[in-house]
Amino acid sequence: MNVELLLQELSLVSKKFELINQKTGGYFNIFEITDIWSDEVIVCRVLHEILSPEGTHFQGNKYLKRFIKDVLKMDMSEEELESAKVFREYRIDNNRRIDIAISTINHFIPIEVKIYAGEQANQCFDYAKTAKNSKVYYLTRFGDFPSDYSANGLTKQGNGYLEISCISFSEDIINWLESCASQSETIKIAPIREVLFQFMMTIRKFTNQMEDEKEMEIVDILMKSPENMKSALDIQNCVNQARVKLMKQLFAKIESKVGRIKLENEYDYASDDYKNCNDFYKYKYSTYPGISYEYKSKVKPNIDIWVRIEIDNRIFIGYCCPVDGKSVKQALTQDEIEQILGVKTHIDDWWAYWEYVPDGNDELCPNFKAANDAYLKLFNETFLEKFTTKCAAKIIELLNK
C-alpha cells in the first residue's frame, strides 16, 4: 500500500471514532470546553484535589497511597501515610513556589510540573534543597529531565541528575488515574469517576495519545503488511519536516504582508539558516522563532522597544523591550510601559505587552506543539492566507499605534 492509500484508510478510522464520540458524548469534556486542558495551574489544582486526603472527593488518602506507591515508587507505613498532607504552590525562599508538595512525618516531597511552560534559572536546584528523604520529582508530558538552566548545581548522573526523578503524564499519571478510577468505591460515585475519565482524556490530548480502541485499529492496519509499515515509517520521518515547512511559510507570508524592513537578529525565524525553525520540534522547550520590527529606539539608555510576533507553543504578537538588543528580564517599570505605549502591561520577561492571535483568544490561537484544531487549519492554504493577513494587520496596528 502506498502512502496516500494508507492515509486514506487511517482517515476512515479517525472519522469512525469521531462519529462514535459525537454520539456517546466523548467530546463533552469540561477541561476542553473551558480551554483549561493545558493550563499548568489548573492541572496542578486538579492533581492536588485528587491527591489530597482532605479533597472534596471524601475518599481520604486512597488516591494518595496509590500515587506514592505506583508513581513515586516509595514505601510508606500506614502510620506515615496517615500523617501526609498535600500542598499546592508551596512557598519557599526567594518567593519560589513548588507546584505540589507532599509532607509526612519523615518526608518532604517536592513535585515540579511542566507541560508547556518554560524553565526558570536554578529552579530544580532550589527545590532539591527543600527535599527531605526524597528526590525532586519532575513531572512532564513524557518524563524528560530538566535542562542545565533549571538544574544548575545538581549532581550530573548519566543523562540526568542524582537529585531528580522524572515522571510522566503520558504513562505514570495516566496509569495512576486508571487505577484510581477502577477502585470499587470510585466506580459507584459517578461524579468522581467521570472527572477522572475526563482528566485522563485531557492528558491523552496534551501527550498526543488517542483512545485505546482507535489506537488498536490503527495498529492492526499497520501490521497488515510490510508495505503498510514502510509507508507509516515514511510518514513518521516527514511529519516534523512538514510542520517546520509550514512554520517557515507562515512567517514568510507575514513578513511579505507587513512590507516593512524587519530587524536581523538571532531571534529571527530565518536567522542562521532557519535554525530556530529547524530546531523547534527537536526539544521540549521552545526555540522562539519570530519576526521583530523596531518601534522606538533608546527609550532609555540601551533599551529599545520592538513589535514582535513569536511562537512559544502558541503564536502571539506584542511589544518587547530588549536591552542592547538582547532578551533580558523586563528593564522598564509598569508605569514607564503604560506611559510610553499607552497599553495595560502584560509583563513577562522582556515582554511589556502581548496577545494571542488572531484575536487574543487562546482557544482560537494555533498551538504549534500541541497541534490543536486552530493549528491544523493552517495546513489549508485558504485559512493560512486569512490567518497571516490578520497577523500582518495586527503587527502594522501596533507599529502605527
Side-chain angles (χ1 to χ4, degrees):
M1 178 181 289
N2 63 32
V3 170
E4 187 172 354
L5 289 176
L6 178 62
L7 286 173
Q8 289 175 0
E9 188 168 356
L10 297 180
S11 178
L12 290 175
V13 174
S14 293
K15 289 177 180 177
K16 168 188 168 181
F17 280 91
E18 183 176 348
L19 184 60
I20 290 172
N21 279 325
Q22 289 173 1
K23 290 186 174 182
T24 61
Y27 289 130
F28 192 76
N29 186 310
I30 195 63
F31 294 95
E32 295 188 34
I33 292 168
T34 53
D35 197 39
I36 57 177
W37 61 275
S38 61
D39 186 317
E40 288 179 12
V41 174
I42 302 297
V43 169
C44 285
R45 285 178 182 172
V46 177
L47 281 174
H48 168 265
E49 191 67 17
I50 299 171
L51 286 168
S52 176
E54 300 173 353
T56 52
H57 48 68
F58 287 97
Q59 299 301 297
N61 64 9
K62 288 181 181 178
Y63 305 142
L64 177 62
K65 286 169 67 174
R66 285 183 178 266
F67 183 84
I68 289 173
K69 179 182 177 182
D70 298 338
V71 178
L72 305 187
K73 312 295 184 187
M74 298 175 70
D75 292 323
M76 285 191 188
S77 66
E78 285 295 327
E79 178 187 6
E80 184 170 3
L81 287 167
E82 288 297 325
S83 74
K85 293 186 179 297
V86 182
F87 301 93
R88 180 173 60 84
E89 295 188 4
Y90 187 92
R91 188 191 295 269
I92 61 173
D93 293 342
N94 299 323
N95 202 32
R96 286 204 187 277
R97 297 174 184 268
I98 301 172
D99 289 327
I100 295 175
I102 301 172
S103 177
T104 72
I105 53 177
N106 296 320
H107 293 81
F108 184 82
I109 306 166
I111 303 172
E112 173 61 12
V113 180
K114 294 289 184 190
I115 301 177
Y116 294 115
E119 296 176 313
Q120 299 177 30
N122 305 323
Q123 186 176 29
C124 284
F125 175 77
D126 288 344
Y127 292 173
K129 291 187 290 187
T130 71
K132 177 183 176 184
N133 298 323
S134 171
K135 295 187 177 185
V136 174
Y137 286 86
Y138 197 67
L139 173 57
T140 62
R141 291 189 299 159
F142 306 110
D144 300 307
F145 274 103
S147 69
D148 292 342
Y149 181 65
S150 174
N152 182 40
L154 297 182
T155 309
K156 273 280 192 180
Q157 185 180 61
N159 295 325
Y161 302 89
L162 182 65
E163 298 88 350
I164 302 289
S165 182
C166 294
I167 51 180
S168 70
F169 280 102
S170 59
E171 293 186 16
D172 297 304
I173 300 301
I174 284 288
N175 291 338
W176 166 64
L177 289 171
E178 287 178 342
S179 175
C180 294
S182 66
Q183 291 192 31
S184 58
E185 288 303 313
T186 302
I187 292 173
K188 299 174 186 177
I189 307 173
I192 299 175
R193 183 187 67 237
E194 292 307 313
V195 167
L196 293 177
F197 281 137
Q198 290 197 9
F199 194 35
M200 282 188 274
M201 289 172 61
T202 296
I203 293 171
R204 287 193 174 102
K205 179 172 182 177
F206 68 67
T207 56
N208 305 319
Q209 299 181 66
M210 61 185 71
E211 304 98 323
D212 292 339
E213 295 84 356
K214 180 180 177 181
E215 185 176 278
M216 287 310 302
E217 282 205 26
I218 292 176
V219 168
D220 289 342
I221 291 172
L222 298 184
M223 293 187 67
K224 280 183 181 178
S225 68
E227 291 76 16
N228 280 14
M229 194 61 197
K230 182 180 183 303
S231 296
L233 291 172
D234 289 341
I235 294 169
Q236 181 185 37
N237 293 334
C238 295
V239 167
N240 280 352
Q241 292 182 43
R243 299 181 75 177
V244 169
K245 184 175 181 180
L246 173 74
M247 186 183 296
K248 293 176 182 177
Q249 288 178 345
L250 178 138
F251 280 127
K253 286 179 180 291
I254 293 172
E255 183 180 350
S256 174
K257 291 175 180 180
V258 172
R260 304 191 188 188
I261 297 175
K262 67 179 181 179
L263 296 170
E264 300 289 348
N265 54 42
E266 63 189 286
Y267 308 110
D268 189 68
Y269 79 100
S271 173
D272 196 12
D273 197 22
Y274 298 94
K275 180 175 174 56
N276 292 330
C277 291
N278 293 333
D279 290 350
F280 186 79
Y281 294 104
K282 293 180 181 179
Y283 308 106
K284 64 177 182 289
Y285 55 84
S286 179
T287 55
Y288 306 106
I291 308 174
S292 306
Y293 298 91
E294 183 176 87
Y295 177 70
K296 288 187 178 182
S297 64
K298 303 297 183 288
V299 294
K300 290 180 72 175
N302 305 322
I303 302 174
D304 301 324
I305 299 179
W306 299 344
V307 171
R308 178 168 169 80
I309 183 169
E310 180 178 282
I311 297 173
D312 181 353
N313 293 297
R314 290 182 168 94
I315 186 169
F316 56 96
I317 298 173
Y319 296 105
C320 58
C321 305
V323 177
D324 292 324
K326 299 294 183 182
S327 170
V328 297
K329 188 174 180 179
Q330 184 56 249
L332 298 178
T333 67
Q334 182 172 332
D335 289 342
E336 287 173 333
I337 291 169
E338 292 183 3
Q339 182 178 359
I340 295 169
L341 296 175
V343 297
K344 289 294 182 181
T345 60
H346 193 156
I347 293 177
D348 186 0
D349 291 330
W350 70 335
W351 290 93
Y353 168 85
W354 59 267
E355 62 182 76
Y356 292 122
V357 284
D359 60 2
N361 187 329
D362 59 349
E363 183 177 357
L364 300 177
C365 178
N367 189 314
F368 285 73
K369 285 285 177 74
N372 60 354
D373 290 341
Y375 169 77
L376 295 174
K377 287 179 181 177
L378 295 176
F379 287 88
N380 177 287
E381 181 62 30
T382 301
F383 186 89
L384 180 63
E385 283 295 329
K386 291 180 179 178
F387 181 79
T388 52
T389 297
K390 290 180 179 179
C391 290
K394 187 64 185 181
I395 291 171
I396 293 171
E397 175 191 332
L398 294 184
L399 286 170
N400 292 339
K401 189 174 177 61

